[in-house]
Amino acid sequence: MRAHMVRRKHMKFNILKRKSEVDATFERVADHLREKKVLLPAEFEELCKDLSPDAKEEIKSKLRQLKYTHNEDMFEFTDASKPARDITDKELIELLIKPDYVNTDEDVIQVGNQFYKGIVASGFPATVGENWLGELTQEKRNVDFSIFLEPSSVRAIELYLNKQLRKVENDLYKYQQKGVSNPALKARKDQLTQQLKHILTGEYKLFKMSLHIAAKGKNKEDVTLLGSKVVNDLHSKGIETKYTTKYNEQLLKSIIPCGKRHLDSREILVPGPAAAASFPFSSSFYDIDEQDGVLLGFNSNKIPIAKSIWKLPKYVGTVIGSTGSGKSYATKALVLNDNLINGTKVFILDPEDEYTDMCQNIKDSQVIRLGRDSKKIPNILSLMGGSLSDKLISVPKVFDVLLGGLTASQKPLIERAIIATYKKKGIVETNEKSWKKTPPTLSDLAAMLKAHKKKCSDYKLKSDYETMSNKLERFTTGIFKFMNTTGDGINPKSMFNVIEFKSMPNEVRPVLMLILLEFIKTKFLEDKEKKILVLDEAWRVLKNQSEAAYVESFARTFRKSNGSLILITQSVEELQGCPEGKAYLANSAFTYIFKTEGVVVQETAELFGLNDTETEIISSAKQGEGILIWGKTHHKIQVRVDPKTHELITTNPEEVKRLRGKR
Ligand SMILES: Nc1ncnc2c1ncn2[C@@H]1O[C@H](COP(=O)(O)OP(=O)(O)O)[C@@H](O)[C@H]1O
Ligand SMILES: [Mg+2]
């Protein structure tokens, strides 16, 4: 289905070679005239010295036709003269599309550098499912094909089917006479009767269909091999075929997309639904959610995959792959597109400072940087405008992480201490107004733990208080005391918000992530606008059961305010020892799996239910390539964006340097 744009120079040469000597000389003469404006008799004789007098006369008459002024044997190029050579439309088209040469062999045809082997369908299956010709277009096979479909009149089909039916009945009768049964004929009879019934009741129409295919390749062996593969595949779908031996040229012409059939192959009657399903551009070939779908990438046939997370039952997504495999890039493309198309608010928790650069060129964006000295770190105990009841449910989970895991006996103790700390500040569940009061800080909680410990007489519980106090001390007076803030934190009010905390020590990153999740969840609880929260290095908060449980409950609440959570993580290796975390990732509504290396390939494949081919794809994928699981469907995907977006989101150091220079 492609015009052959072959090197023009080469073709021009070919065209000239075919010209007669007279034409060639005429062109030389005309060129001379165009350049020098006059042609003297001696010059004319010199240019035409090898030609006969007749030929010379022919050239002269041609020149006169072109309105070169002929003056005492001297030709002159004037304004009235036409250009030396008018290229006719036909010549121009030839020049543009004509291949260097065509070589018709019996089995294959060669056009320029390309070899073709023709195949036509000679029999179609009686019933076909949706996407029955999918293989031809879905697979990355080097084939061109054309489908000719023509509606046929009800009357003609009725006649045809009746005739067929009579024939089958006759045959059946013959078998019966012999006392032999023929199940195939019986089935055929039933099928014809059914079809006849459908036609007569107007349930569906039959279409005349023919299918022409050209296998393409760089040499005879290649096309022959590909041809036989195509034939086998079609056979497995119940489509019978024939090679177009000797008629390859006609077949090729039929495949040129101008709707003309040059080959009278057998036309088969197919029912309407099957005919509709054979359209390569019908919806099952395109993976597009209309209206709010955003472009995610392209499948192996370079067909766009455009999807909407807002149509999924859950909004949780996972992006997994080794360093540099394209996780952040794909996520940026997704959130930018969703922001553009659906007006989605974006929050990115960026532990490695990978997303801040792009903000410089995004309208209504902001970067919030959190470091040890920043006063903006949200106070864990702040209600952030939410209710105390909600806080009392979620904050113990944050402390579970903050204090490095709590035992069953410690959990009720901290819960009690938290309630008491709020109460001491006058904040109680029963009084909504009190929720607006200045919240306690970590120091207040630490003091409360100490007080409870003092009052406690049970030796074992005393030791529990002791342990928790010691751990909390790191965040109040110890090395992480910068987390002990009074601030109501940050204000991610833009459409596009990046919260960066690269300078934060690894130990506090998980806690900080949870605080930020909690903060955003609470702050936007009442806001029903679509929003996406991206959590890079998500493994940091999926390392144990309590973390996984927190993230899960977060996502559930966030979903209620139209929030989608995207978790980015390197591999399942970081989640060793946390089956809950893995299970949570595997349960995502959508998952990108990019290049995966080493020992985790198999585990990743098992976790996400990849087949062997898909496993091979993720282990050998290039940057931006992988498997996309969307709902229940698996796609091979290549993430691609337009050049402008690429400039915006790439972090390749060389590109960034070049782009900085350009700006
Ligand atoms: N689909 C892609 N198309 C083009 N370049 C890509 C693609 N994916 C990644 N890259 C390049 O690779 C770099 C690193 O990719 P990135 O997504 O940051 O990796 P990681 O998986 O570590 O997050 C990007 O900044 C970009 O330059
Ligand atoms: Mg990254």
Side-chain angles (χ1 to χ4, degrees):
M1 297 192 198
R2 197 166 41 90
H4 304 278
M5 303 292 292
V6 190
R7 293 147 300 161
R8 288 189 205 171
K9 252 190 184 159
H10 196 62
M11 284 192 297
K12 196 165 176 183
F13 173 66
N14 271 350
I15 285 180
L16 290 180
K17 215 166 59 175
R18 276 189 236 121
K19 296 262 176 216
S20 70
E21 215 174 330
V22 179
D23 285 348
T25 312
F26 166 73
E27 261 160 37
R28 272 203 300 276
V29 170
D31 278 349
H32 178 106
L33 257 169
R34 209 161 2 117
E35 212 172 290
K36 304 262 166 69
K37 307 292 180 214
V38 288
L39 180 70
L40 300 173
E43 287 171 329
F44 180 82
E45 287 306 322
E46 175 60 26
L47 283 169
C48 303
K49 67 171 186 275
D50 296 331
L51 297 184
S52 65
D54 279 355
K56 285 180 192 164
E57 265 320 301
E58 193 187 329
I59 288 178
K60 278 182 184 170
S61 96
K62 269 186 164 181
L63 287 173
R64 276 183 219 109
Q65 272 169 22
L66 290 176
K67 297 207 171 60
Y68 285 100
T69 321
H70 191 194
N71 225 337
E72 296 169 16
D73 268 4
M74 186 177 87
F75 284 93
E76 248 185 290
F77 184 90
T78 69
D79 287 348
S81 312
K82 281 196 192 161
R85 185 169 168 276
D86 253 351
I87 294 190
T88 64
D89 287 351
K90 189 164 170 276
E91 271 178 327
L92 184 65
I93 288 173
E94 276 188 359
L95 197 66
L96 288 173
I97 67 172
K98 198 166 173 169
D100 286 0
Y101 51 89
V102 174
N103 185 9
T104 354
D105 216 345
E106 202 166 87
D107 300 340
V108 296
I109 180 167
Q110 184 186 2
V111 179
N113 295 327
Q114 184 90 256
F115 285 77
Y116 297 88
K117 188 164 182 72
I119 298 158
V120 288
S122 56
F124 288 81
T127 48
V128 292
E130 202 181 317
N131 210 354
W132 63 303
L133 283 178
E135 212 129 306
L136 268 186
T137 48
Q138 293 289 54
E139 275 218 359
K140 214 175 173 181
R141 291 237 159 119
N142 202 6
V143 298
D144 284 347
F145 65 92
S146 60
I147 298 169
F148 294 90
L149 274 174
E150 263 177 76
S152 55
S153 82
V154 175
R155 182 78 194 125
I157 291 173
E158 193 190 329
L159 284 175
Y160 168 82
L161 289 178
N162 264 322
K163 214 166 110 188
Q164 296 283 315
L165 195 60
R166 241 175 293 136
K167 235 162 90 186
V168 172
E169 277 171 345
N170 264 338
D171 289 349
L172 267 177
Y173 180 72
K174 276 183 215 153
Y175 276 100
Q176 263 172 18
Q177 293 288 303
K178 287 186 209 153
V180 191
S181 77
N182 186 330
L185 266 181
K186 263 203 188 106
R188 177 81 181 131
K189 185 189 155 188
D190 290 347
Q191 188 204 343
L192 286 167
T193 319
Q194 274 295 322
Q195 283 188 342
L196 199 56
K197 194 180 132 218
H198 285 316
I199 293 297
L200 292 176
T201 55
E203 252 170 84
Y204 61 57
K205 285 187 172 169
L206 284 182
F207 288 81
K208 281 192 270 178
M209 173 164 173
S210 52
L211 171 64
H212 299 175
I213 304 159
K216 300 189 288 184
K218 288 281 158 255
N219 56 52
K220 210 170 160 174
E221 291 71 38
D222 277 4
V223 280
T224 310
L225 186 66
L226 180 57
S228 66
K229 278 186 185 158
V230 171
V231 164
N232 283 339
D233 277 354
L234 291 175
H235 282 190
S236 75
K237 293 258 172 335
I239 305 171
E240 288 160 33
T241 55
K242 278 194 179 124
Y243 288 117
T244 51
T245 316
K246 289 188 193 155
Y247 297 103
N248 283 319
E249 189 183 333
Q250 284 85 339
L251 177 108
L252 262 195
K253 284 183 183 162
S254 293
I255 279 170
I256 296 169
C258 46
K260 238 185 181 173
R261 204 155 45 137
H262 294 261
L263 193 65
D264 273 334
S265 66
R266 203 175 140 194
E267 286 173 335
I268 320 291
L269 290 170
V270 294
S278 65
F279 274 96
F281 311 113
S282 70
S283 60
S284 60
F285 285 79
Y286 270 110
D287 285 306
I288 286 182
D289 278 343
E290 273 155 29
Q291 287 180 2
D292 54 355
V294 301
L295 179 67
L296 306 176
F298 297 83
N299 75 10
S300 45
N301 261 340
K302 301 197 168 61
I303 289 178
I305 303 176
K307 293 285 180 191
S308 163
I309 28 183
W310 312 108
K311 286 211 167 70
L312 289 168
K314 287 199 297 183
Y315 298 161
V316 178
T318 290
V319 186
I320 195 164
S322 45
T323 310
S325 60
K327 301 184 297 295
S328 302
Y329 189 96
T331 310
K332 287 176 206 168
L334 169 65
V335 297
L336 274 177
N337 282 336
D338 217 274
N339 172 269
L340 205 68
I341 288 173
N342 296 316
T344 306
K345 234 182 224 155
V346 179
F347 307 94
I348 298 176
L349 305 194
D350 177 14
E352 288 299 336
D353 199 354
E354 282 185 79
Y355 299 84
T356 52
D357 259 3
M358 66 193 274
C359 283
Q360 291 168 3
N361 296 298
I362 298 176
K363 220 175 92 185
D364 194 9
S365 68
Q366 81 173 317
V367 174
I368 298 168
R369 293 191 189 276
L370 295 180
R372 311 163 159 266
D373 303 328
S374 126
K375 295 275 171 288
K376 284 180 292 188
I377 300 169
N379 172 10
I380 301 169
L381 291 165
S382 162
L383 296 189
M384 301 159 187
S387 82
L388 180 62
S389 321
D390 288 343
K391 191 78 188 178
L392 291 179
I393 294 171
S394 61
V395 84
K397 292 180 189 142
V398 180
F399 279 99
D400 196 352
V401 178
L402 185 93
L403 302 178
L406 296 173
T407 64
S409 60
Q410 289 168 348
K411 277 179 190 165
L413 302 185
I414 190 99
E415 280 170 17
R416 219 171 301 146
I418 291 169
I419 295 173
T421 312
Y422 279 114
K423 197 168 171 196
K424 199 168 175 203
K425 291 276 171 182
I427 304 171
V428 287
E429 269 191 273
T430 46
N431 178 2
E432 207 171 308
K433 274 194 195 127
S434 72
W435 302 346
K436 301 257 178 314
K437 291 188 176 176
T438 311
T441 61
L442 286 181
S443 307
D444 296 324
L445 179 65
M448 188 59 72
L449 281 175
K450 281 210 174 96
H452 281 192
K453 181 188 152 198
K454 233 182 201 163
K455 275 193 279 174
C456 175
S457 51
D458 183 306
Y459 167 76
K460 237 186 126 273
L461 292 185
K462 244 184 167 42
S463 124
D464 273 338
Y465 276 122
E466 176 80 22
T467 317
M468 289 192 292
S469 282
N470 286 344
K471 284 181 180 170
L472 188 58
E473 209 168 79
R474 301 171 87 197
F475 296 94
T476 52
T477 53
I479 49 169
F480 305 135
K481 64 170 187 273
F482 52 85
M483 297 293 289
N484 185 14
T485 63
T486 53
D488 215 351
I490 50 183
N491 189 11
K493 59 181 185 315
S494 307
M495 278 307 276
F496 204 94
N497 306 278
V498 176
I499 307 172
E500 172 276 318
F501 44 95
K502 189 175 180 180
S503 65
M504 283 291 188
N506 278 341
E507 292 90 330
V508 298
R509 285 187 187 185
V511 182
L512 188 58
M513 282 178 178
L514 293 197
I515 294 173
L516 292 170
L517 286 181
E518 189 64 19
F519 178 82
I520 290 166
K521 181 185 85 181
T522 316
K523 188 151 179 104
F524 295 93
L525 208 56
E526 299 303 324
D527 171 317
K528 298 290 179 223
E529 300 287 312
K530 287 182 180 135
K531 45 192 121 19
I532 296 178
L533 193 153
V534 176
L535 185 57
D536 211 327
E537 289 198 0
W539 60 271
R540 287 190 189 275
V541 287
L542 288 170
K543 291 186 310 303
N544 56 53
Q545 196 198 341
S546 53
E547 291 176 355
Y550 176 82
V551 173
E552 193 171 353
S553 79
F554 165 83
R556 227 179 301 122
T557 317
F558 198 45
R559 162 83 164 79
K560 286 186 195 144
S561 59
N562 264 326
S564 157
L565 174 67
I566 299 179
L567 302 161
I568 306 182
T569 196
Q570 276 194 26
S571 73
V572 287
E573 201 166 18
E574 286 105 357
L575 304 179
Q576 290 316 342
C578 182
E580 295 84 3
K582 286 186 208 168
Y584 187 63
L585 292 188
N587 244 323
S588 301
F590 65 97
T591 311
Y592 288 90
I593 309 170
F594 291 111
K595 175 150 181 109
T596 307
E597 282 160 309
V599 288
V600 293
V601 173
Q602 212 46 48
E603 193 186 343
T604 309
E606 272 163 35
L607 189 62
F608 293 99
L610 304 187
N611 65 26
D612 290 351
T613 318
E614 291 163 347
T615 311
E616 176 55 34
I617 289 172
I618 60 161
S619 65
S620 62
K622 296 197 193 75
Q623 227 167 31
E625 274 179 16
I627 299 293
L628 172 70
I629 306 175
W630 197 270
K632 291 195 167 54
T633 317
H634 291 206
H635 309 260
K636 184 181 175 198
I637 191 172
Q638 186 181 19
V639 174
R640 290 256 308 278
V641 300
D642 60 285
K644 276 266 178 291
T645 310
H646 175 79
E647 288 187 1
L648 190 62
I649 67 181
T650 182
T651 49
N652 174 321
E654 271 164 32
E655 280 180 330
V656 171
K657 212 169 115 195
R658 185 168 50 76
L659 288 165
R660 285 223 174 102
K662 219 168 90 177
R663 278 180 193 137

